Amino acid sequence: MSTSALYNDQGGAEPAVEAAQESAPTSAGSAAAFGLFSADFKKNEDLKEMLESSKESLKLDAMKRVVGLIARGKNASELFPAVVKNVASKNIELKKLVYVYLVRYAEEQQDLALLSISTFQRALKDPNQFIRASALRVLSSIRVPIIVPIMMLAIKEAAADLSPYVRKTSAHAIQKLYSLDPEQKEQLIEVIEKLLKDKSTLVAGSVVMAFEEVCPDRIDLIHKNYRKLCNLLVDVEEWGQVVIISMLTRYARTQFVSPWQQDAVFDENNEKTFYESDSEERKDQMESKPYIMDPDHRLLLRNTKPLLQSRNTAVVMSVAQLYWHLAPKHEISVVTKSLVRLLRSHREVQFVVLQNIATMSIQRKGMFEPFMKSFYVRSTDATHIKTLKLEILTNLANEANISTILREFQTYVKSQDKAFAAATIQAIGRCATNITEVTDTCLNGLVLLLSNRDETVVAESVVVIKKLLQTQPSQHCDIIKHMAKIFDNITVPMARASILWLMGEYCERVPKIAPDVLRKMAKTFTAEEDIVKLQTVNLAAKLYLTNSKQTKLLTQYILNLGKYDQNYDIRDRTRFIRQLIVPSEKSGALNKYARRILLAPKPAPVLESSFKDRDRYQLGTLSHSLNIKATGYQELCDWPAVAPDPSVRNVEVPQPVKEWAPSVGKTKQAKSDKFYSDDEDEKEEEGSDSGTGNSSSSSSSSSSSSSSSSEESGSESEEESSEESEKTSSDSGKSSSGSEESSTESESDQKKKKKKKKNIKKTLQKRNKQPTVADSDSDENGNGPVKRASSSSAESSSETDSEDSLDSDPPKVQQNKNIQVKSKPKVEKKPKNEVSLLDLDDFSPAPTSAPNSAYVSSSLLSDLEGLSLSNVSTSFQVTTPTFGPVKTYELLHHMTGKGLSAKYHFPRQPCLYQPSMVAVQVTLTNSSDHSLEEIHIGGRNPASLNIHCFNTVERLESEASVTVSMGIDFSDSTQAANFQLCTKEDQFNVSIQPAVGELLMPCTMTEQDFCKEQGKLLGMNETSATITMATASTSVQTVRKQVLSVANVGVVSSSQSTFHRFAGRTVSSGSLVLLSLEVKDSAAVLTINTEKSVVASMLLRDLKQALAQA
Amino acid sequence: MIHSLFLINQSGDIFLEKHWKSVIGRSVCDYFFEAKEKAVEPENVPPVLQTPHHYLITIFRGKLFFLSVIQTEVSPLFVIEFLHRIADTIQDYFGECSETVIKDNVVTVYELLEEMLDNGFPLATESNILKEMIKPPTILRSVVNTLTGGSNVGDMLPTGQLSNIPWRRAGVKYTNNEAYFDVIEEIDAIVDKSGTTVFAEIQGVIEACVRLSGMPDLTLSFMNPSLLDDVSFHPCVRFKRWEAERVLSFIPPDGNFTLMNYHVSSQNVVAIPVYVKQSINFFESGSCGRLDITIGPKQTMGKTVEGLMVTVHMPKAVLSVNLTPTQGSCTYDSATKVLVWDIGKLNPQKLPNLRGSLSMQSGAPKPEENPSLNIDLKIQQLAISGLKVSRLDMYGEKYKPFKGVKYVTKAGKFQVRS
């Protein structure tokens, strides 16, 4: 150890620093004498001084040594106070090292760690995106529960950051926060939902990772992003690809029907595949309608295929497993070559890939048979690799190639690696049983091996021969005799036991030899291993039964030896056998059956692959590798028998969907077209700046480049822009996805609407283009700037045309100005349905790029201001359905609420957050004389209650009111949802009890359909009653109005005026609810058909009341 | 995902640890040590292990174990690939990946690890980006740093991470613009005792060293692309262009990188450049054996075979050898039982021969199997598959770069059974 170096002249050279760590800081001479602890202690003293010095270089040196300590696992926690002071250092390296230290020790020193928080909070507002990102990284890595709210806030803010890099960091932070405090799940899911909509390739992988960790079961969040993810996939960084592919595999298995039924013909093994249940197949045969693959299913397969060419083995493997689990049988083999290629990679990679191939090759030999030679074993392979290759070769063996394989096996049997040689013998045994043509050859070969010099080889051969003979014992006396001959030379207990068992089992075929073997065993009995003794006793018993004349005495001798054996198993066995075979007065009825018991024909053992049952795990997973269910393993579910509604993935204007009320369509489209619209915007932008060269190639990443550029400009102007309207700032806080949107924002409201509409049109066009777009997406990576620019300009020009046609929508009334204007697309949904056919031409194309800077600065301002108000979720309070009543219920009275009052009503809109939720709008009014802060939803009861909370209302001024929307999953019951409405100071218990009619969604259908469905819901599912109607209400209109006031159902047009029909579905389970009302004078027969009998009876009660009253 | 990383040397000392989530005690490695004990050879340690609360995924590289601790389900290849990427990065930075180098640069390594993963999920793994953030140590820089108190952490944060070509750093400038491509092909073969080829295939790789200013957009095309059967690319290669036109079109990373790997279609007969005549005999009595190996040229396409080397893993019973080579040198390590015959250049006029006796442990049984010979060789200026680069074009920049292509054929896993 060099002890001469003194710390203060080491500068930045690291070897010297190392030396300093080893050496004593104070005096060179005493260093060698240091014990571990004293050395640490003294060094720390010295480090403390250095850290507190004013010289940057000293501090840096000290930090390097501290990090050195951490790296070696030494404790440096006592330096915490000294280190934390440097957190705000200007020197980047010093700062980074301090970060490293903080993250490592913050959990242990929570109080001190809090000192650093303000630095990070400041850094979170830094104009430089990297500083913001790294601050968030460290802040979220500090595992101190107290700062959870700060982290939450920071994450939310960062998720709306203009820089995709910061958004990526926020996606990582989500997972960290979740592991620190799982309570935050709901809020985190909201952020995830928002980030999932992000189109940046940088963000995609990270947010899907967060999704997988926090809420892998919320598959509904993926629907709208599915196509986007598929299209982005090629351009996502490799690690993200792995995560996205594995998530999409799971998704696809829940959303598409099996592509395997039709091509059962292609399945060479012609055995039923593991995943398909019998019933499914039968049903399929009955229906036998041609299978048409969902275009989205195809999209996924097509877009993942190029990734087989990735250099990253994990990506290749994940594509391979995706094909294995999702592709039609005849397409799976495209992955073969790539998998075989991976075998050239590192040993560990080989290991995992071979495991997966082993599983695959059991079900589909044909895939790998042409590559059989790639699995030939080399003497330099590691043992576990050899065994896996052997396994695969055995799986691949068939009549055609068995001779080649056996020749290869012959080489292996001679291997110096004896464990491997033994495994080869077992493999030969398996080939022999599987392929009857070669059984004899194999058996002869194995018998030859019996004369091998190596004991393990012989033993293994005996064991395998035993198994083989058992499958066809008839003609193999010779082999048994041969084995008896070599018996004396075999010492491995298992082998000896096997031979004895064979003798006993087939003693009648070798009547002369067996007693002789027994005689020999009697001599050596006491010296044998337990397992051999047991078999000797067995042999004796069997011989006694078949040939008692010759062996009676021998048997008795052996039984006596066994009786006094040291091992109780053997004593037990001996006692049992004696009672069983030796006739005596006591031995009862069993004695008669002794022969049948002992010499019963025994089923031959099945020699099968150890990978036989591995296919219950998804390929490529840790669980598959270990053959055990790992923590957090997500089961891959079976294909659904019937595909769930594919339109959930639509991101364009939906066609009038039969079963849903128009309002559903509206919100859906509104929510979704955002993605495409942004896409377009982005392309326009890109078209204009693609000349710069740098950001040339990939369009998907152009979003990142363009946003980063605008981000930068924003950050510069940030300081100056002190005053901006509240409205815009809240806008930007809300806008989840960067600058593309920002350009939209900055236009006037009027224009914004136009734009949104334009988008619809675009998406309409786009729908047809969909596949092409997908292609070009991946292509963009491949094509030079020139091509891109031209294509995008073409694109934008065509858009301009379509924009013209869209301009005419009536200006929308904006109520509640300061909340309403959110950029969230749902606000704009209302005018949508008139869009399609209007044709006006006063549209002047908006210069998309011009307003950028102004807008950006305002958004940054909002960044700085935190989340104030921006989180107030907008509601769609606009449309009350045409017939719907607006019954408002009181949630919280202002007396009990200390000035806060809340009312709620059911807007009868499909819930945006989750289709199974009922949308509820809550109007919060502050009737006190001071402003209320942080109004949010607290604890709920029952705890499992699934509520989508409204975003926290940061501040509600006195006399102001705000309407927020939330979603509640009532699970089709009228049980009240109890929760707490909290302000900063107080919390109030409130509850929402829905009328049964609010748990329904209207549903449009024709009269015929109605009758058909009604026909299916008879008997138990039908409830009816006669109602006395108030005379006034007999007109069609009034009846309808009454019914609709009670229940949120859709009117079914009826041919008879006395017959009224209404249809709906329950929100949670989607069960049909059919109402029919036959009016006869003042009486009416009301019939309700639904599976939900409780709903039916309650609905009946409510309707009865309503109709009678009117 | 990846929870913690431990670096362990062959003798079982943990000399570096890094945790990306909460700290996990070193005791978790005990399960690994147990498996290592059982496996005897370090290569035989199973890469994926299970412990009661964690999963351990290990790679063994450069006499070091990189052990990662995992807590939940993850694709094992994901972790393995990443661990190798760490090793690659260390190698890239310091020239080799060994215990000494890591210990000497512990702070830099630690900083690298910090940048490469965030919360166990890979953040920056591209060498170009990392090098912008953390500069690799050079002698000059360490001198300058000592004098000025500067650091090896970049002041400028990398922009590459944000661009759509994350593998290339921005603002590259060279006075000499040059692009070199090495086409390296390896022959994997198993040759029978009798000299028949049991199995042979050609694997190729194109290594590039590109030092071009600005943002060059390169196109590399082949005379005979149909030879290529299966390919994998660096992320920079545009896949669609390859599919459509069979050309490699890419914006290269700066510096050295692997452009593509390929496999030559198996229809083509693989030329085996050398033949080996060998006889290894162990005698039943007298505990000795004889060895006689001769190597001669077979299909060398008229080129010289260089760097010829034969490695034999002898059976355990062989104590020592007494062998005389007619060319080159021959060594035997009695501890590892590895015989190495370094021949050098193959002279077709005078074939190299190795002959002599082997002395065996007395009383040990005659080995069952003769050891197989692993052959190493190199042929310059030849791609054995016949692959040829036809041209390299550059777009996007004005200057004229210097271009060069080099071909080499090597023996990959070339084994002669005896």
Side-chain angles (χ1 to χ4, degrees), chain A residues 787-987:
Chain A
K787 200 169 169 189
R788 270 273 351 113
S790 68
S791 79
S792 59
S793 67
E795 181 106 38
S796 57
S797 68
S798 74
E799 276 148 24
T800 330
D801 296 343
S802 61
E803 278 155 11
D804 295 348
S805 62
L806 291 169
D807 204 25
S808 67
D809 52 294
K812 198 175 63 181
V813 187
Q814 306 255 340
Q815 353 168 311
N816 231 344
K817 208 170 178 188
N818 66 344
I819 328 159
Q820 181 87 30
V821 231
K822 297 298 115 51
S823 64
K824 276 216 173 161
K826 49 185 169 176
V827 181
E828 274 81 31
K829 71 194 163 356
K830 187 171 114 186
K832 290 273 161 64
N833 50 354
E834 303 102 39
V835 161
S836 46
L837 298 168
L838 294 177
D839 194 3
L840 293 167
D841 38 314
D842 59 345
F843 180 80
S844 56
T848 26
S849 52
N852 250 358
S853 64
Y855 166 70
V856 166
S857 54
S858 71
S859 78
L860 273 167
L861 178 73
S862 80
D863 263 3
L864 291 174
E865 287 181 355
L867 296 173
S868 62
L869 259 185
S870 62
N871 273 333
V872 183
S873 166
T874 29
S875 45
F876 25 132
Q877 72 196 115
V878 244
T879 45
T880 359
T882 352
F883 316 106
V886 193
K887 266 189 216 160
T888 309
Y889 309 87
E890 180 136 277
L891 187 62
L892 182 67
H893 192 262
H894 66 89
M895 294 304 282
T896 39
K898 300 188 184 167
L900 176 70
S901 71
K903 292 190 167 132
Y904 70 93
H905 71 271
F906 297 97
R908 295 199 169 177
Q909 300 270 5
C911 182
L912 278 179
Y913 313 111
Q914 219 173 299
S916 65
M917 283 182 172
V918 177
V920 182
Q921 286 196 1
V922 182
T923 309
L924 302 166
T925 313
N926 182 0
S927 41
S928 67
D929 50 359
H930 55 277
S931 57
L932 296 168
E933 289 180 340
E934 288 181 25
I935 305 172
H936 62 278
I937 289 179
R940 50 197 76 165
N941 178 36
S944 59
L945 184 66
N946 194 358
I947 297 187
H948 184 96
C949 308
F950 54 85
N951 292 334
T952 304
V953 177
E954 292 297 339
R955 192 177 171 83
L956 189 62
E957 297 296 344
S958 174
E959 299 304 325
S961 77
V962 60
T963 305
V964 293
S965 70
M966 52 191 289
I968 303 176
D969 189 346
F970 289 104
S971 315
D972 293 345
S973 87
T974 51
Q975 207 185 353
N978 301 310
F979 55 90
Q980 287 178 324
L981 198 61
C982 309
T983 63
K984 198 174 180 187
E985 292 91 17
D986 299 294
Q987 37 198 358

Side-chain angles (χ1 to χ4, degrees), chain A residues 368-441:
Chain A
F368 293 99
E369 217 196 307
F371 297 88
M372 193 177 78
K373 288 186 172 174
S374 304
F375 303 107
Y376 279 8
V377 174
R378 293 187 160 78
S379 57
T380 38
D381 286 335
T383 308
H384 51 255
I385 303 281
K386 286 181 186 164
T387 355
L388 281 169
K389 284 187 171 174
L390 196 63
E391 174 73 39
I392 294 168
L393 285 176
T394 318
N395 290 340
L396 294 181
N398 58 23
E399 287 82 356
N401 60 23
I402 184 68
S403 57
T404 328
I405 288 184
L406 281 182
R407 206 174 317 132
E408 190 63 19
F409 280 179
Q410 275 168 23
T411 327
Y412 303 163
V413 167
K414 285 186 265 170
S415 165
Q416 292 173 40
D417 185 342
K418 289 308 164 198
F420 173 56
T424 310
I425 293 168
Q426 291 204 349
I428 295 176
R430 262 179 63 202
C431 291
T433 43
N434 294 344
I435 303 160
T436 44
E437 283 89 338
V438 294
T439 312
D440 288 342
T441 329

Side-chain angles (χ1 to χ4, degrees), chain B residues 270-289:
Chain B
V270 177
I272 306 287
V274 294
Y275 69 84
V276 181
K277 270 199 223 158
Q278 39 82 21
S279 82
I280 302 175
N281 294 307
F282 298 105
F283 301 119
E284 204 66 58
S285 56
S287 63
C288 66

Side-chain angles (χ1 to χ4, degrees), chain A residues 294-343:
Chain A
D294 189 307
D296 288 325
H297 191 170
R298 177 50 70 197
L299 177 73
L300 177 60
L301 292 175
R302 195 180 48 226
N303 284 4
T304 47
K305 196 177 161 196
L307 300 179
L308 284 172
Q309 257 61 53
S310 171
R311 64 164 170 179
N312 187 316
T313 57
V315 174
V316 178
M317 186 66 233
S318 63
V319 177
Q321 68 83 24
L322 180 129
Y323 264 75
W324 179 257
H325 292 293
L326 299 181
K329 294 283 184 202
H330 58 281
E331 285 177 37
I332 295 175
S333 45
V334 301
V335 306
T336 316
K337 260 185 206 168
S338 311
L339 282 181
V340 173
R341 185 186 67 228
L342 300 190
L343 297 181

Side-chain angles (χ1 to χ4, degrees), chain A residues 189 193 196 211 215-225 251 255 648 671 912-916:
Chain A
I189 292 178
E193 193 174 0
L196 274 172
F211 171 84
C215 52
D217 47 333
R218 286 291 303 277
I219 219 89
D220 58 293
L221 298 181
I222 304 300
H223 291 322
K224 294 285 172 219
N225 302 300
Y251 177 87
Q255 300 299 319
V648 290
K671 194 169 177 180
L912 278 179
Y913 313 111
Q914 219 173 299
S916 65

Side-chain angles (χ1 to χ4, degrees), chain B residues 322-387:
Chain B
N322 181 17
L323 300 169
T324 358
T326 58
Q327 184 188 343
S329 63
C330 169
T331 53
Y332 181 66
D333 183 342
S334 53
T336 55
K337 312 284 179 196
V338 177
L339 172 77
V340 179
W341 177 26
D342 191 347
I343 302 168
K345 203 176 267 183
L346 178 68
N347 180 359
Q349 267 72 52
K350 193 169 160 291
L351 298 182
N353 169 271
L354 179 73
R355 172 181 314 187
S357 63
L358 311 168
S359 62
M360 315 269 295
Q361 203 177 341
S362 60
K366 177 191 150 192
E368 276 302 311
E369 184 200 32
N370 287 338
S372 50
L373 318 178
N374 294 301
I375 312 288
D376 235 337
L377 56 83
K378 200 172 178 185
I379 306 171
Q380 301 280 11
Q381 330 258 290
L382 171 74
I384 196 94
S385 67
L387 186 75

Side-chain angles (χ1 to χ4, degrees), chain A residues 620-639:
Chain A
T621 59
L622 185 62
S623 305
H624 177 269
S625 255
L626 291 166
N627 199 15
I628 209 163
K629 197 172 167 180
T631 341
Y633 173 71
Q634 296 275 330
E635 206 81 51
L636 199 60
C637 56
D638 274 354
W639 297 101

